[in-house]
Amino acid sequence: MIRLYNTLTRKVEEFKPIQEGNVGIYACGPTVYWFAHVGNLRTYVFVDVLRRALSMAGLKTKLVMNVTDVGHLTDDADLGEDKMLLAMRREGKTAYDIARFYEAAFMKDLARLNVLPADAYPRATDNIPEQIDMIRRLEKNGYAYVTSDGVYFETSKLPDYGRLSGQKAEDKKAGARVDMGEKRNSTDFALWKFSPTDGKREMEWESPWGKGFPGWHIECSAMSKKFLGVPFDIHTGGIDHVPVHHENELAQTQGADGVLEANVWMHGEFLTVDGGKMSKSLGNLFTLEELVTRGFDPLAFRYFCLGAHYRTKLNFTWEALTAAQNALKRLRDTVRGWDEPGTVGCADHERAFWKAIEDDLNTPEALAALWNMVEDASLPSAAKAKSLAVFDSVFGLGLVDLVGKAIEVPDDVHMLVQAREAARKAKDWKESDRLRDEIAVRGFAVEDGANGPVIKTS
Ligand code: AMP
Ligand code: ZN
């Protein structure tokens, strides 16, 4: 069985589903006020590998990923500006138009990364009554209080608040330099925010406490309960969610429903750039589209992510991405030359692969197992192709579809190659170089073999 690291217990544990044969996973989804950056996408590749690995281990998975389309302020401590209002000013569009546009862009990114679709993508704005109900239960149980700007969760009422991050409410209070406003503890957080009185907001709802919108954390507690039931098996997110968002989700479910929201809490480490944080002001925040524009295959980014364990930081550089793209290309070229899968696989290599995956999703070691198999000259390619299907159902690199398939070269590329041959014969090197570049733009490379030009994918 698979062993997974649980942030809550700080241990690698054997994973046991609550309901035999099934696993419920809740992944904190994107905030849809801007494009996802490649750091965000690393986290969703990690969730996808987790989900695929559990499926391959024989479990029926149910993955729920929320879409945060309201309530996320620029500062996690309920301060700062509303991210949606910022986007509205920037783009001159309505809140719903912005949210739907970036949600669609996000779904396209996931598809290009071969991330399997979730079973549900509930939006915060489609589940407001459930969130209000939950705040009501919190109020009834004595965990909520009202201030002039909203309804807050009183963290000091929950004896083990801070259990996920291991930080006590008092520690945070001592170290905090935040403006407490009317909050009773610095760790208290908004469950509901009242609409500002300076005019009508597009995203606001009536509630028992006044017109407004939900705080950022309540949507996940309410929707995980609605779509999976609590407790469910595995809750995922990026490492930054541990001290605030997940700590608060856990507290809300505990306070409202008296149960642990999820048994296992898993967090992906950050993708860094130049060893540091990605940010717009540093100009190092890349989208998947930008990678594509620079000539990278989205799956090269996926391969790059698989090269590091999800609990280690991964530093993004163009050199490293190029190396990943080259490695993926070598794999693709190799499997194209293989026979169709036979009936027998490569048992030893499969064992090495599973040993790595079952050890808290050790993808770098699993990739090494793949390469060991690819380079093992003692095995027939049909056996390798059979095992590749197993490996790739977890890696999701789309390699299986290429087994035994010669590359398809479009007519215009053939014509460019012929024109380049003619230019070479006429010793017009400038024209021949220009044509090689045109061929490259179309995703192909031409090598000059002894029997004439050989076309390859670039
Ligand atoms: P957001 O849309 O900001 O809520 O982020 C979506 C997901 O990306 C969350 O799970 C974050 O924890 C995660 N995330 C944010 N920045 C990074 C990063 N640099 N590397 C990996 N994951 C990240
Ligand atoms: Zn969440």
Side-chain angles (χ1 to χ4, degrees):
M1 238 303 152
I2 285 193
R3 279 163 289 124
L4 301 171
Y5 181 81
N6 187 351
T7 306
L8 189 62
T9 59
R10 291 159 185 76
K11 278 203 265 307
V12 177
E13 300 166 342
E14 190 172 304
F15 175 67
K16 288 200 195 79
I18 294 168
Q19 204 187 66
E20 214 189 313
N22 292 281
V23 51
I25 309 167
Y26 187 92
C28 285
T31 45
V32 285
Y33 316 135
W34 188 241
F35 295 106
H37 58 63
V38 287
N40 302 138
L41 296 173
R42 181 191 183 196
T43 292
Y44 298 111
V45 168
F46 143 61
V47 176
D48 187 52
V49 169
L50 168 69
R51 194 251 193 121
R52 285 167 174 268
L54 292 166
S55 296
M56 282 305 287
L59 296 168
K60 190 170 178 315
T61 60
K62 180 170 179 187
L63 173 65
V64 177
M65 186 187 291
N66 68 301
V67 174
T68 299
D69 55 357
V70 68
H72 199 169
L73 306 187
T74 47
D75 187 303
D76 281 351
D78 300 314
L79 297 166
E81 279 198 273
D82 185 317
K83 287 187 178 177
M84 181 56 87
L85 294 181
L86 273 180
M88 286 165 69
R89 267 210 302 281
R90 188 181 65 224
E91 303 188 19
K93 290 191 203 159
T94 70
Y96 282 101
D97 283 348
I98 288 168
R100 300 302 172 257
F101 175 82
Y102 290 112
E103 181 186 306
F106 176 74
M107 297 301 166
K108 185 176 161 200
D109 284 348
L110 293 192
R112 289 196 287 188
L113 288 168
N114 269 358
V115 169
L116 297 174
D119 297 280
Y121 291 103
R123 294 172 182 144
T125 54
D126 289 337
N127 292 276
I128 299 293
E130 288 79 357
Q131 297 174 65
I132 292 176
D133 271 0
M134 188 154 207
I135 302 170
R136 269 214 189 99
R137 293 200 296 283
L138 284 168
E139 192 174 44
K140 189 171 135 263
N141 295 347
Y143 291 99
Y145 62 92
V146 179
T147 72
S148 59
D149 75 342
V151 183
Y152 283 79
F153 185 100
E154 190 162 2
T155 50
S156 53
K157 287 272 168 74
L158 199 68
D160 56 1
Y161 180 82
R163 62 188 284 199
L164 186 66
S165 57
Q167 223 177 350
K168 293 260 171 285
E170 305 81 71
D171 297 347
K172 280 200 182 168
K173 210 190 271 184
R177 276 170 288 129
V178 293
D179 175 10
M180 291 263 289
E182 295 165 56
K183 289 203 289 190
R184 296 179 186 167
N185 307 280
S186 68
T187 42
D188 292 358
F189 55 90
L191 297 164
W192 189 261
K193 288 280 256 186
F194 298 139
S195 290
T197 44
D198 56 0
K200 189 171 156 40
R201 276 174 60 101
E202 196 188 342
M203 286 179 165
E204 63 181 359
W205 295 265
E206 296 291 348
S207 84
W209 311 277
K211 197 180 276 180
F213 56 97
W216 171 36
H217 317 296
I218 195 75
E219 63 172 278
C220 288
S221 292
M223 298 196 292
S224 66
K225 181 182 165 77
K226 177 176 172 182
F227 288 86
L228 291 169
V230 285
F232 57 91
D233 292 296
I234 306 177
H235 200 318
T236 69
I239 194 84
D240 57 323
H241 281 173
V242 178
V244 181
H245 182 55
H246 284 178
E247 194 74 85
N248 293 345
E249 268 191 48
L250 189 147
Q252 289 169 152
T253 302
Q254 193 72 49
D257 300 317
V259 293
L260 189 62
E261 186 185 4
N263 283 354
V264 183
W265 296 71
M266 294 180 71
H267 297 95
E269 249 298 352
F270 262 27
L271 185 78
T272 58
V273 179
D274 301 326
K277 209 175 144 53
M278 257 184 280
S279 81
K280 240 189 247 167
S281 56
L282 293 172
N284 62 6
L285 192 154
F286 303 111
T287 62
L288 192 63
E289 189 60 37
E290 275 161 327
L291 267 50
V292 171
T293 307
R294 291 184 190 222
F296 289 96
D297 185 323
L299 294 180
F301 178 70
R302 185 171 173 114
Y303 185 98
F304 172 66
C305 292
L306 296 174
H309 190 265
Y310 76 91
R311 282 199 290 127
T312 61
K313 282 201 178 67
L314 175 60
N315 193 33
F316 179 90
T317 63
W318 296 110
E319 291 73 30
L321 191 61
T322 304
Q325 176 134 307
N326 290 338
L328 181 60
K329 181 180 175 308
R330 259 182 68 206
L331 279 175
R332 286 173 170 165
D333 287 346
T334 306
V335 306
R336 281 181 188 284
W338 285 0
D339 293 332
E340 293 293 324
T343 46
V344 184
C346 314
D348 288 349
H349 294 297
E350 280 190 35
R351 247 194 306 281
F353 169 82
W354 278 118
K355 187 165 172 284
I357 292 296
E358 286 178 347
D359 180 15
D360 192 27
L361 310 178
N362 192 334
T363 51
E365 258 189 55
L367 269 187
L370 171 64
W371 279 104
N372 284 341
M373 179 182 80
V374 167
E375 284 164 359
D376 188 339
S378 72
L379 294 163
S381 68
K384 295 183 188 182
K386 177 138 172 67
S387 294
L388 181 73
V390 176
F391 290 26
D392 207 27
S393 56
V394 176
F395 290 141
L397 293 169
L399 293 168
V400 187
D401 305 334
L402 303 179
V403 168
K405 303 266 189 317
I407 55 169
E408 281 170 27
V409 182
D411 287 348
D412 60 335
V413 173
H414 274 303
M415 274 157 66
L416 287 167
V417 170
Q418 279 168 19
R420 181 172 170 275
E421 269 308 283
R424 275 167 51 81
K425 287 212 175 96
K427 298 201 174 358
D428 185 349
W429 307 121
K430 209 170 145 208
E431 176 65 358
S432 128
D433 282 353
R434 189 190 68 78
L435 287 162
R436 192 191 49 212
D437 291 347
E438 272 211 41
I439 294 163
V441 167
R442 287 164 173 75
F444 292 88
V446 51
E447 282 173 17
D448 302 306
N451 302 319
V454 180
I455 307 173
K456 296 192 159 183
T457 52
S458 62

